[in-house]
Amino acid sequence: MLFFQQIYRGPLRRGRRGAPAAKRPSGCQGNVRKDRTQTGRESECVDLYLTTGRQMEKNTQALPPHSPLHFPRNNSEALPLSPSLPQPASLHSSHLHSSSSPRVSGGSHCLSLSTAPEQDDLTCLNWLHQRGNLLPLQPLPKISTLPQMFDPIPAQHLPSSPAKPPYSFSSLIFMAIEDSPEKSLPVKGIYEWIVENFPYYKEAPGGWRNSVRHNLSLSKSFQRIHRDKSQSVGKGSLWRVCPEYRPALLEVLRKTHYCHRTNRSLLNKPVLLEATDNGQNMFNETMELSDLDSLSSNPPCSFTPDHEELIPMESVGLPEVTGEDTEKDPLADSGYIELHYYQYQQYQYLVLPGDTELDLETVEILQLDAEAQEAAGSLLDLAGGNH
DNA sequence: ATAACATTAAACACGT
DNA sequence: AACGTGTTTAATGTTA
């Protein structure tokens, strides 16, 4: 649960997000969000992100840790998503040990990260950078210093009143559900998660709950599942994330994160939710990395209202994943590189874009300590030197 | 200018 | 009856 490294060579497509409406003339309590500036990060850059995560045992059991095919069975497994978890300070000095033969598409890597720079990025929602393709790295000894890893933000830096999270309700719901052990929550559970993790909503007018329900109903990204009557407690159904839309949700989160990465007030609660496989495998174990990437970067569709049916508890099928309809990212060769270290339990993962070519030299560089990795130029050179 | 997306409010039905 | 849940419609704002 410690860190991960992702190498993302490619673009940051600007999100196309609508912003909350300003106060309506009728007097409705709208929320004007003026901080929704699109930074866009279109120029090349190199970032080292660290984050925490939880629980990855299931993933690591599917295949031998060193197997080239051993990688999280779906996107979520390597996704730390929990805003409520403290940000481990020791991450700033984690280690990425390296080892095995370099292989981009499914190869295992042993990387060693050390001394990451202290920067806001390290306390950001780094997991948002998670891409679909995760490569298992060499198992690491568990880091048992979680308590000291917490890097609290000085009280004087905390906003007096919680700022409204930049995340859309879809994203909030997504995070809430993914953070649940069963990967499903009743509406009430979603409320509670949001309130617990985003204090803004603790004091916000109750209208947002309506918005949550509205979103659940309207968005294709979420599915209502029948509750087992025998063990039903409370009203309503359980809601889960539709696996088919998971990559799109991840993408939205990632974009949101990028747009707000400089807003410290929004980053004071690192999201570390880690989505584990819950019988909702997005990918099979033989899927190529390119498939993962295309799946992640080419969501099947947008979030439009189209709830079709109430799915039964047990019907959680695998979406058909093909790379044929995916279009190449026009900015894929922009030279943008993003490092993402990810450690899940005792394993490390290297997240790569599907078409990344990782050669020995690259791996060597990745094995450099964080200080060296800060040398963005080197990494940019790896991207083609067009920076 | 437009479409797509997001937010918010409100009304209504239904179940507990 | 009250409340929570789920669905739907509408108005409005933002952004690509």
Side-chain angles (χ1 to χ4, degrees), chain A residues 72-250:
Chain A
R73 284 172 290 180
N74 65 25
N75 267 351
S76 60
E77 286 182 349
L79 174 66
L81 282 178
S82 180
S84 58
L85 296 182
Q87 193 70 21
S90 70
L91 290 180
H92 297 185
S93 59
S94 339
H95 274 297
L96 188 65
H97 300 295
S98 105
S99 71
S100 37
S101 58
R103 176 172 173 269
V104 175
S105 295
S108 61
H109 303 277
C110 268
L111 302 177
S112 157
L113 168 69
S114 67
T115 335
E118 287 189 5
Q119 55 184 19
D120 285 351
D121 284 351
L122 300 184
T123 57
C124 288
L125 306 171
N126 305 320
W127 54 276
L128 293 177
H129 299 273
Q130 193 271 344
R131 300 273 293 188
N133 37 356
L134 302 178
L135 295 177
L137 302 179
Q138 186 173 7
L140 281 182
K142 271 190 176 180
I143 299 178
S144 57
T145 56
L146 261 181
Q148 24 177 285
M149 298 165 74
F150 182 39
D151 182 19
I153 296 175
Q156 62 267 27
H157 293 159
L158 294 173
S160 56
S161 60
K164 181 169 185 175
Y167 307 102
S168 67
F169 284 111
S170 289
S171 296
L172 292 174
I173 295 168
F174 173 57
M175 288 188 283
I177 294 175
E178 290 294 309
D179 198 25
S180 67
E182 303 300 323
K183 298 299 170 290
S184 61
L185 281 177
V187 170
K188 191 175 182 180
I190 296 172
Y191 295 159
E192 290 170 351
W193 187 93
I194 292 174
V195 167
E196 178 182 343
N197 292 282
F198 296 96
Y200 166 85
Y201 291 103
K202 200 173 296 181
E203 302 170 7
W208 66 270
R209 290 181 174 84
N210 192 3
S211 297
V212 168
R213 295 197 306 274
H214 166 83
N215 218 287
L216 285 169
S217 288
L218 245 59
S219 175
K220 287 195 290 184
S221 306
F222 308 109
Q223 293 176 320
R224 192 159 64 95
I225 57 182
H226 288 296
R227 258 180 164 174
D228 188 344
K229 292 291 181 182
S230 61
Q231 45 184 260
S232 175
V233 179
K235 298 178 180 179
S237 308
L238 292 173
W239 292 86
R240 74 171 189 117
V241 175
C242 175
E244 187 179 359
Y245 295 91
R246 202 165 183 293
L249 289 165
L250 287 169

Side-chain angles (χ1 to χ4, degrees), chain A residues 366-387:
Chain A
L366 291 175
Q367 291 172 355
L368 297 176
D369 60 20
E371 186 177 352
Q373 291 180 26
E374 285 182 65
S378 299
L379 292 168
L380 289 174
D381 286 339
L382 288 174
N386 55 342
H387 55 284

Side-chain angles (χ1 to χ4, degrees), chain A residues 57-68:
Chain A
E57 286 173 293
K58 280 189 288 185
N59 310 337
T60 59
Q61 290 168 356
L63 285 171
H66 299 284
S67 166

